[in-house]
């Protein structure tokens, strides 16, 4: 009788454990949005103040990952194991997306900010690629705690000069010179760590001059410990609408989508292209997570090519995507434009993940 009761309890505990909440997330193939098309009846990318065009053939689609689980919606053990066995899904610790020191609301807000920033960076990258001028005014976001600039600068300060030299804010056609925040970083870093730097700031409509010591930054150059964002002033307005999608990973596809809107002939050559990668104003394409799941979504949507940041190439082999999806490795927006030109001309000499 004792053994029978113990066996029943053991079985009950075993079955019950299958439904215990687990601190894991499941990443699955998510939505795909054509940046050159419409979403819920409205254009994903709209350009006001400049000639823009719509092209019926071809697509430049951003791809997402759909996450299940999290601190407020824990998955049970059975669901986690089932997803772990699926070749389409990935299981990961929830702290990768929901750090212990942040609430789900803070994570959501951060993803929204990243999405907005990626759209601004994508616009700047597209204009740089098209040799169109714009302004990037460097504005202090915050001072890093414990660094020399703490208490010396304030959020919303505009950096006008570094050591008496005006900070360039106007992008130049065909030029690679740094402007805005990038220029400030270069100008401050152009000294030995420990040497002071004088910044002329605009604060509440008045000019303020401050001398700040420097320390050695992560890259070995001089740094004062200021996080700077660019207040972009574009010659026309770009409005991007993708619903409740967050994060920075659509930057590359936004930039290409903007270029397509501004191109009378279109840049896809009628090809169906999807991709994922961050973007900087200088056109640098960065790696993102979830590539295996995004490739599945792209293949299911009928994409012919998948543009991926070279940094993310290591993830490609883990994808369950099969068939004719051609994966192209991208380092810069210029690489993506070059790949599109090759595709339009019917060539096959594309940079692929090794």
């Amino acid at each position: 009788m004792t053994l029978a009761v113990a066996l029943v309890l053991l079985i009950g505990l075993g079955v019950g454990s299958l439904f215990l909440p687990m601190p894991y997330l499941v990443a699955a193939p998510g939505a795909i949005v054509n940046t050159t098309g419409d979403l819920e009846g409205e254009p994903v990318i709209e350009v006001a103040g400049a000639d823009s065009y719509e092209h019926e053939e071809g697509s430049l689609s951003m791809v997402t990952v759909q996450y299940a689980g999290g601190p407020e919606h824990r998955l049970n053990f059975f669901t986690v194991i089932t997803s772990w066995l699926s070749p389409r899904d990935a299981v990961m610790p929830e702290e990768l997306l929901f750090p212990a020191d942040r609430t789900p609301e803070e994570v959501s807000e951060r993803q929204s900010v990243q999405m907005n920033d990626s759209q601004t960076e994508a616009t700047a990258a597209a204009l740089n690629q098209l040799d169109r001028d714009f302004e990037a005014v460097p504005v202090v976001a915050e001072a890093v705690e414990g660094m020399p600039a703490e208490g010396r600068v304030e959020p919303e300060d505009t950096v006008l000069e570094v050591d008496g030299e005006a900070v360039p804010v106007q992008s130049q056609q065909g030029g690679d010179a740094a402007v805005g925040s990038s220029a400030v970083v270069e100008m401050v870093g152009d000294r030995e760590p420990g040497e002071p730097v004088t910044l002329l700031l605009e604060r509440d409509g008045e000019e303020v001059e401050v001398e700040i010591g420097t320390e050695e930054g992560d890259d070995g150059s001089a740094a004062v410990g200021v996080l700077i964002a660019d207040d972009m002033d574009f010659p026309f307005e770009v409005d991007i609408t993708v619903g409740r999608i967050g994060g920075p990973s659509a930057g590359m596809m936004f930039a290409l989508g903007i270029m397509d809107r501004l191109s009378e002939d279109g840049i896809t050559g009628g090809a169906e292209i999807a991709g994922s990668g961050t973007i900087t104003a200088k056109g640098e394409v960065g790696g993102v997570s979830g590539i295996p799941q995004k490739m599945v979504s792209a293949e299911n949507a009928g994409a012919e090519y998948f543009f991926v940041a070279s940094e993310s190439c290591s993830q490609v082999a883990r994808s369950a995507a099969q068939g004719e999806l051609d994966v192209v490795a991208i380092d810069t927006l210029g690489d993506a434009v070059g790949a599109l030109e090759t595709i339009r001309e019917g060539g096959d000499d594309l940079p692929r993940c090794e």
Side-chain angles (χ1 to χ4, degrees), residues 266-285:
I267 63 175
T268 68
E272 305 295 334
I273 298 160
S276 187
T278 63
I279 196 77
T280 68
K282 295 178 68 174
E284 301 159 333
V285 176

Side-chain angles (χ1 to χ4, degrees), residues 28-40 42 44 58-66 88 115 241-243 245 249-250 253-254 271-276 291 293-307 325:
I32 182 167
V33 178
N34 179 15
T35 63
T36 66
D38 295 343
L39 181 65
E40 297 180 354
E42 298 293 333
V44 173
S59 62
L60 292 163
S61 298
M62 56 171 283
V63 195
T64 67
V65 173
Q66 177 178 319
R88 295 162 49 92
M115 169 59 75
T241 305
V242 291
I245 298 172
S249 63
M253 302 312 294
F254 285 150
E272 305 295 334
I273 298 160
S276 187
I291 294 299
Q293 290 71 46
K294 292 176 180 178
M295 287 176 61
V296 171
S297 293
E299 185 182 59
N300 290 342
E304 303 167 78
Y305 300 89
F306 188 83
F307 285 11
L325 191 62

Side-chain angles (χ1 to χ4, degrees), residues 75-347:
L75 304 175
N76 59 52
F77 181 77
F78 180 79
T79 301
V80 171
I81 289 297
T82 301
S83 298
W84 182 70
L85 294 173
S86 170
R88 295 162 49 92
D89 301 340
V91 177
M92 62 192 69
E94 70 179 18
E95 59 262 24
L96 292 181
L97 188 61
F98 298 96
D101 60 345
R102 291 179 182 166
T103 66
E105 290 75 18
E106 289 173 332
V107 171
S108 178
E109 181 179 356
R110 180 170 180 268
Q111 289 181 329
S112 295
V113 170
Q114 289 176 327
M115 169 59 75
N116 292 334
D117 288 346
S118 74
Q119 294 175 1
T120 301
E121 295 288 308
T123 304
L127 292 183
N128 274 327
Q129 188 66 38
L130 294 170
D131 287 341
R132 298 198 185 188
D133 292 347
F134 64 92
E135 285 191 352
V137 179
V139 178
V140 173
E142 63 177 297
V144 179
E145 185 177 356
M147 291 292 285
E150 184 180 15
R152 307 300 308 281
V153 301
E154 298 180 5
E156 304 303 324
D157 283 352
T158 299
V159 185
L160 302 176
E161 297 179 358
V162 176
D163 287 336
E165 183 179 354
V167 176
V169 297
Q170 182 76 41
S171 68
Q172 300 296 319
Q173 290 188 1
D176 294 325
V179 297
S181 61
S182 298
V184 173
V185 172
E186 289 188 6
M187 295 167 77
V188 171
D190 189 24
R191 72 198 66 243
E192 292 296 323
E195 294 181 6
V197 60
T198 300
L199 302 180
L200 180 64
L201 309 172
E202 182 179 306
R203 179 181 301 162
D204 298 328
E206 298 183 357
E207 293 186 354
V208 179
E209 187 175 88
V210 295
E211 183 177 297
I212 306 174
T214 64
E215 294 184 5
E216 185 174 332
D218 293 338
D219 60 356
S221 62
V224 297
V226 176
L227 301 181
I228 302 180
D230 283 318
D231 183 8
M232 303 287 193
D233 185 11
F234 300 122
F236 48 79
E237 183 178 349
V238 177
D239 185 35
I240 302 178
T241 305
V242 291
R244 299 180 62 183
I245 298 172
S249 63
M252 172 177 61
M253 302 312 294
F254 285 150
L256 292 174
I258 293 167
M259 293 182 66
D260 190 74
R261 283 290 189 201
L262 296 172
S263 171
E264 184 174 0
D265 298 325
I267 63 175
T268 68
E272 305 295 334
I273 298 160
S276 187
T278 63
I279 196 77
T280 68
K282 295 178 68 174
E284 301 159 333
V285 176
V288 297
S289 61
I291 294 299
Q293 290 71 46
K294 292 176 180 178
M295 287 176 61
V296 171
S297 293
E299 185 182 59
N300 290 342
E304 303 167 78
Y305 300 89
F306 188 83
F307 285 11
V308 60
S310 294
E311 293 179 7
S312 300
C313 276
S314 60
Q315 302 179 50
V316 171
R318 302 200 301 269
S319 179
Q322 303 295 327
E324 302 301 322
L325 191 62
D326 197 346
V327 182
V328 182
I330 303 295
D331 286 310
T332 67
L333 184 59
D335 292 342
V337 171
L340 287 171
E341 182 178 357
T342 299
I343 291 170
R344 289 197 304 274
E345 294 175 351

